[in-house]
Amino acid sequence: MTKLNERRKAILRAIIQSHIDLNIPIGSILITQRFSIGLSPATIRNTMAKLEELGYIIQPHTSAGRVPTEKGYRFYVDTLMEEETFSINSALSDELSGRLGIIRKDCNSLIKEAARTLSLFSRYLAIATPPRMEDIVLKRIKFIKYEKKKMLAILISEEGLVKNKIIELDHIHSQKQLDRAANYLNNRFSGLVIKKVKEKIAYQLYKEKTMFDQLIDSLLYLCKDIVPLENNDFSLDGLSGTSNLPDFATLKQIKAILRAIEDKNFMLKLLHRVSESRGTQVFVGMESILPAMKELSMVVSTFNNKKLASGAVGIIGPTRMNYKKMIPIVDHTAKALTQILSET
Amino acid sequence: MTKLNERRKAILRAIIQSHIDLNIPIGSILITQRFSIGLSPATIRNTMAKLEELGYIIQPHTSAGRVPTEKGYRFYVDTLMEEETFSINSALSDELSGRLGIIRKDCNSLIKEAARTLSLFSRYLAIATPPRMEDIVLKRIKFIKYEKKKMLAILISEEGLVKNKIIELDHIHSQKQLDRAANYLNNRFSGLVIKKVKEKIAYQLYKEKTMFDQLIDSLLYLCKDIVPLENNDFSLDGLSGTSNLPDFATLKQIKAILRAIEDKNFMLKLLHRVSESRGTQVFVGMESILPAMKELSMVVSTFNNKKLASGAVGIIGPTRMNYKKMIPIVDHTAKALTQILSET
DNA sequence: AATGTCACTCTACATCCAAGAGTGCTGATT
DNA sequence: AATCAGCACTCTTGGATGTAGAGTGACATT
């Protein structure tokens, strides 16, 4: 890690903040005007030359001002910003919590509302995933006969997630039989994390091959079909609001985002990776993740319920977004979600 | 309706087809080169002047070629194209049906797949709505106790639609009681269209105010809450594929589409309006519907099950899209959906 | 009525120029 | 040794200018 002395830090901070505000290359004179650093433009130029050499800023062309590089933003978010204390406006905080609190519906609606709120407040694209299926706690299973050889399997989780899926059976079962199978499953697996449920089922199938036929059958089916029951969805909001922002509206970027979003698997993997660690994370310049997402950044945080299942909420915006504002907003939203989910 | 003689029709057709192919203003010489009409450019110019006077084509500026107006496209779709017979390529037809047929899952997945397929084949934005909630046939209702004063209501329709919703109760009910209520509802309302169910419930509530308490309670809740259970979703596909198309990618248009889509209510209303009539419809130049959607057209068709519930599938593209190709594709997709839904 | 011709109009594109912004370097100052 | 003022230089931006090409409308001709 290259160490920067105080002056260089101050000037880098000034450049980045100015660039966030104005979205133009920042020259030495502009900095002396906007900040009272007590240095002449010439001195600042010297420092800027050094910062460029170190890779924190770059000149789009000779005789233009400097623009922060990804490395510059990274350093800003990690180091420069950390040194300041930024707290969320308390009125804003109340409003955020309020919007989520009113609803108090099931988990899915809550997550949708979170995305909507986040996009509203950030004016960027907001994303939110429910907890990963593997990590949720099974509350109740229910089978409902649907047609001769089809049933509807319903999974309810402690967190308030509801998933249903039509499963084809290869024998005809009566509703009674289905009920019995569901009861059996409920008794044995209720209160466990889905991942554990899967393991147990696999073990049981392996060990006691024949108990009573239909039951094992149902188990087998459930076991097989619980995997594609994986959460393959996330909420998304603010697409149109986003494109209002003039500097976020370059066609290239919108296309990049759309493409990434369309590939839901990709986004899900990314978000789940995030939710493995806690707290608010900032991805600066996402091209290391997806080349098309150059010049985009993501601020994302995790929420959780009883320290078990965790989902993610966040925003995607231009690399030169106002992290000082956005990080607290995302952070607070995630915390509010965690609180609401814990209350239930 | 202004009548056009054969020559004018032929030239208008030539202009529109050329414009669809090339996306540039069409001049008189170009037409003589592309078509063997047997007329000189000068004659064509005279006719073009007349067509412009009548409002079918327009000059972007003096000494540019002509571009079809909305009226021109409308006339093309309604009259000129009708005169030709266009049938879908049978290989394409098989592939369309095939992609949908393989799945044969529940209605929701089917609709998603339809949107995906349509966007794939058209390279435009595809939309699809499930049948309107009001029109589906109730197959089974199930209540599952969720928490002290909450239950999960599950609605299964004949069409294979499954909707669930967490409903708050103001008394504590046992699962037994919930089952009894559900049974009561199933016995009385199964096989009816939701619209009818609502009516009947309203009537019953009005007439026999007190039967046995909890039952009426549950009914009341269902009745109240079945309304927001309205289908508020539609599938959408091809956003990123769409933006591949260079001439469809103007930022303005993408923004317009995004905005319209984000306002789900608006799109739903539009699609439901469509599904009131049968067959494939073409909306040319949608600015009469939404000003921002200028220069966009929609080709949309309805599918249905047993002549009862009907949903809509379609594509949104630039006004100068290739209607000759697109209409059969949409048409066929809708028909394939209808067939698959009827088989079940 | 259909066609050939020609002057006219307008766009698109390249070129040029001037203004402005910003830099790096040098030499003087503290 | 650090700071700073001054200056020559570079590069972008925007407006102005000119030209080639496409297309038209009008008019005379067949």
Side-chain angles (χ1 to χ4, degrees):
Chain A
M1 193 66 203
T2 327
K3 265 258 169 187
L4 294 184
N5 62 30
E6 282 313 311
R7 169 180 299 171
R8 287 174 186 169
K9 278 190 194 172
I11 288 177
L12 180 56
R13 174 185 283 127
I15 292 171
I16 292 181
Q17 281 177 1
S18 301
H19 186 251
I20 285 174
D21 289 348
L22 307 171
N23 196 24
I24 48 168
I26 306 302
S28 53
I29 298 175
L30 187 65
I31 287 188
T32 59
Q33 287 168 346
R34 286 174 58 96
F35 301 85
S36 359
I37 294 188
L39 295 173
S40 79
T43 312
I44 291 178
R45 278 202 290 280
N46 284 329
T47 314
M48 282 164 98
K50 195 66 193 172
L51 283 171
E52 180 161 20
E53 191 187 306
L54 294 173
Y56 292 102
I57 53 180
I58 203 170
Q59 267 184 310
H61 57 84
T62 329
S63 97
R66 303 311 212 283
V67 169
T69 59
E70 188 187 319
K71 182 178 174 186
Y73 273 113
R74 185 76 260 171
F75 185 77
Y76 175 72
V77 171
D78 290 342
T79 310
L80 298 181
M81 234 172 42
E82 297 272 322
E83 294 173 2
E84 308 171 35
T85 57
F86 48 81
S87 68
I88 192 167
N89 179 319
S90 89
L92 183 68
S93 148
D94 290 350
E95 210 178 330
L96 272 174
S97 308
R99 280 187 67 90
L100 294 173
I102 303 164
I103 317 290
R104 198 174 302 272
K105 283 191 284 194
D106 56 314
C107 190
N108 285 315
S109 319
L110 201 59
I111 280 160
K112 262 187 200 153
E113 189 60 26
R116 164 124 256 150
T117 303
L118 215 42
S119 85
L120 216 65
F121 279 84
S122 69
R123 309 284 280 143
Y124 291 129
L125 188 68
I127 42 176
T129 51
R132 208 184 337 198
M133 208 60 194
E134 292 245 306
D135 295 334
I136 66 171
V137 176
L138 180 65
K139 178 162 192 163
R140 192 183 283 254
I141 286 182
K142 200 98 187 179
F143 297 142
I144 299 176
K145 197 176 173 212
Y146 174 60
E147 260 164 28
K148 282 146 287 173
K149 292 171 83 174
K150 280 183 189 167
M151 71 171 188
L152 179 70
I154 297 162
L155 227 84
I156 310 175
S157 85
E158 288 288 351
E159 291 81 10
L161 280 170
V162 180
K163 283 271 154 191
N164 50 35
K165 189 172 163 67
I166 290 176
I167 296 179
E168 291 210 30
L169 308 165
D170 52 41
H171 298 306
I172 297 179
H173 296 265
S174 69
Q175 179 65 50
K176 273 239 165 80
Q177 286 173 306
L178 294 181
D179 282 346
R180 210 175 49 186
N183 271 338
Y184 176 80
L185 291 171
N186 277 323
N187 287 336
R188 286 186 93 107
F189 302 127
S190 167
L192 293 179
V193 176
I194 295 285
K195 211 188 306 182
K196 274 262 181 276
V197 173
K198 279 192 195 174
E199 284 170 15
K200 277 209 167 188
I201 288 178
Y203 179 74
Q204 211 128 40
L205 275 177
Y206 163 77
K207 200 173 174 190
E208 12 189 330
K209 271 238 169 171
T210 37
M211 275 182 63
F212 27 133
D213 258 42
Q214 314 100 340
L215 238 171
I216 294 286
D217 265 22
S218 302
L219 282 173
L220 225 162
Y221 275 111
L222 182 72
C223 180
K224 250 199 332 201
D225 282 311
I226 220 165
V227 182
L229 216 102
E230 184 58 66
N231 243 324
N232 65 344
D233 226 354
F234 53 86
S235 292
L236 189 92
D237 213 303
L239 261 177
S240 68
T242 294
S243 45
N244 279 338
L245 269 175
D247 62 314
F248 188 43
T250 53
L251 193 51
K252 236 178 34 187
Q253 289 187 335
I254 289 188
K255 276 193 199 175
I257 291 182
L258 290 181
R259 201 155 311 149
I261 282 163
E262 194 123 314
D263 185 0
K264 287 198 170 184
N265 281 338
F266 169 80
M267 281 308 281
L268 275 172
K269 237 183 278 174
L270 176 59
L271 288 172
H272 281 155
R273 217 182 71 196
V274 167
S275 61
E276 272 160 23
S277 46
R278 293 281 157 86
T280 303
Q281 294 172 63
V282 181
F283 292 79
V284 175
M286 297 171 72
E287 87 269 62
S288 57
I289 299 163
L290 189 76
M293 288 198 130
K294 212 169 117 182
E295 300 186 12
L296 292 179
S297 286
M298 185 165 87
V299 178
V300 60
S301 189
T302 57
F303 61 89
N304 53 70
N305 175 24
K306 295 165 192 161
K307 291 175 196 157
L308 278 168
S310 62
V313 277
I315 56 173
I316 295 179
T319 297
R320 55 161 287 287
M321 76 166 99
N322 192 332
Y323 297 96
K324 255 193 200 169
K325 266 194 205 159
M326 295 307 154
I327 292 176
I329 288 178
V330 172
D331 199 54
H332 184 86
T333 305
K335 283 188 179 134
L337 274 177
T338 299
Q339 203 198 326
I340 290 171
L341 285 175
S342 303
E343 275 172 17
T344 326
Chain B
M1 194 66 201
T2 325
K3 266 254 168 190
L4 294 184
N5 62 32
E6 282 313 311
R7 169 179 299 170
R8 286 173 188 170
K9 278 188 193 172
I11 289 177
L12 181 55
R13 174 185 285 127
I15 293 171
I16 291 180
Q17 282 177 1
S18 302
H19 187 251
I20 285 174
D21 289 348
L22 308 171
N23 195 23
I24 48 167
I26 307 301
S28 53
I29 298 174
L30 186 67
I31 287 187
T32 60
Q33 288 168 344
R34 287 174 58 96
F35 301 86
S36 359
I37 295 189
L39 294 173
S40 79
T43 312
I44 291 176
R45 278 203 290 282
N46 283 329
T47 313
M48 282 165 96
K50 195 66 193 171
L51 282 171
E52 179 161 21
E53 191 187 305
L54 293 172
Y56 293 100
I57 52 180
I58 204 169
Q59 269 184 307
H61 57 83
T62 327
S63 96
R66 304 308 213 283
V67 168
T69 59
E70 188 187 320
K71 183 180 175 186
Y73 273 113
R74 187 76 259 172
F75 185 78
Y76 175 73
V77 172
D78 289 342
T79 310
L80 298 180
M81 234 171 43
E82 298 272 320
E83 293 174 3
E84 310 171 35
T85 56
F86 49 81
S87 68
I88 192 166
N89 179 317
S90 89
L92 183 68
S93 149
D94 290 350
E95 209 179 330
L96 271 175
S97 307
R99 281 187 66 90
L100 294 174
I102 304 164
I103 317 288
R104 198 175 301 272
K105 282 191 286 191
D106 54 316
C107 189
N108 285 315
S109 319
L110 201 60
I111 280 160
K112 262 185 200 154
E113 190 59 26
R116 163 124 257 152
T117 304
L118 215 43
S119 85
L120 217 64
F121 280 83
S122 69
R123 310 282 281 141
Y124 291 130
L125 187 69
I127 42 178
T129 50
R132 208 185 336 195
M133 207 61 193
E134 293 245 306
D135 295 333
I136 67 172
V137 176
L138 180 65
K139 178 164 192 161
R140 192 183 283 257
I141 285 182
K142 199 97 186 177
F143 296 142
I144 299 176
K145 197 178 172 206
Y146 175 61
E147 261 165 24
K148 282 146 287 171
K149 292 170 84 173
K150 281 183 190 168
M151 71 172 188
L152 179 69
I154 297 162
L155 227 83
I156 310 176
S157 87
E158 288 289 349
E159 291 80 9
L161 280 170
V162 179
K163 284 270 153 190
N164 52 35
K165 191 171 161 68
I166 290 176
I167 296 179
E168 291 209 29
L169 307 166
D170 52 43
H171 297 307
I172 297 179
H173 298 265
S174 70
Q175 179 64 49
K176 274 241 165 79
Q177 286 174 307
L178 293 180
D179 282 345
R180 209 175 50 184
N183 272 338
Y184 175 80
L185 290 171
N186 278 321
N187 287 336
R188 287 187 93 107
F189 302 125
S190 167
L192 293 179
V193 176
I194 295 285
K195 212 191 303 184
K196 273 263 181 278
V197 172
K198 278 193 196 172
E199 283 170 17
K200 277 208 166 188
I201 288 178
Y203 178 74
Q204 210 129 39
L205 274 177
Y206 163 77
K207 200 174 173 190
E208 12 188 330
K209 272 237 170 169
T210 37
M211 276 180 64
F212 26 134
D213 259 40
Q214 313 101 338
L215 237 172
I216 294 286
D217 264 22
S218 301
L219 281 173
L220 224 162
Y221 275 112
L222 182 71
C223 180
K224 250 198 334 200
D225 282 311
I226 221 167
V227 183
L229 215 100
E230 184 59 66
N231 243 324
N232 63 345
D233 228 352
F234 53 88
S235 291
L236 189 93
D237 214 302
L239 261 179
S240 68
T242 294
S243 44
N244 279 339
L245 270 175
D247 62 317
F248 187 45
T250 53
L251 193 52
K252 234 176 39 185
Q253 287 187 335
I254 288 189
K255 276 193 200 175
I257 291 181
L258 290 181
R259 201 154 310 150
I261 282 163
E262 194 122 313
D263 185 0
K264 288 200 169 181
N265 280 338
F266 169 80
M267 281 308 282
L268 275 172
K269 237 182 278 174
L270 176 60
L271 288 172
H272 281 156
R273 217 182 72 197
V274 168
S275 61
E276 272 160 23
S277 46
R278 291 282 156 85
T280 302
Q281 293 171 64
V282 180
F283 292 80
V284 176
M286 298 171 71
E287 87 270 61
S288 57
I289 298 163
L290 189 75
M293 288 197 130
K294 213 169 119 181
E295 300 185 11
L296 292 179
S297 284
M298 184 166 87
V299 179
V300 59
S301 190
T302 58
F303 61 89
N304 53 70
N305 175 24
K306 295 164 194 165
K307 290 174 197 156
L308 277 167
S310 61
V313 277
I315 55 173
I316 296 180
T319 297
R320 56 162 285 287
M321 77 166 99
N322 192 332
Y323 297 96
K324 255 194 202 167
K325 265 194 207 158
M326 295 307 154
I327 292 175
I329 288 179
V330 172
D331 200 52
H332 184 86
T333 305
K335 283 187 179 134
L337 274 177
T338 298
Q339 202 197 326
I340 290 172
L341 284 175
S342 303
E343 276 172 14
T344 325

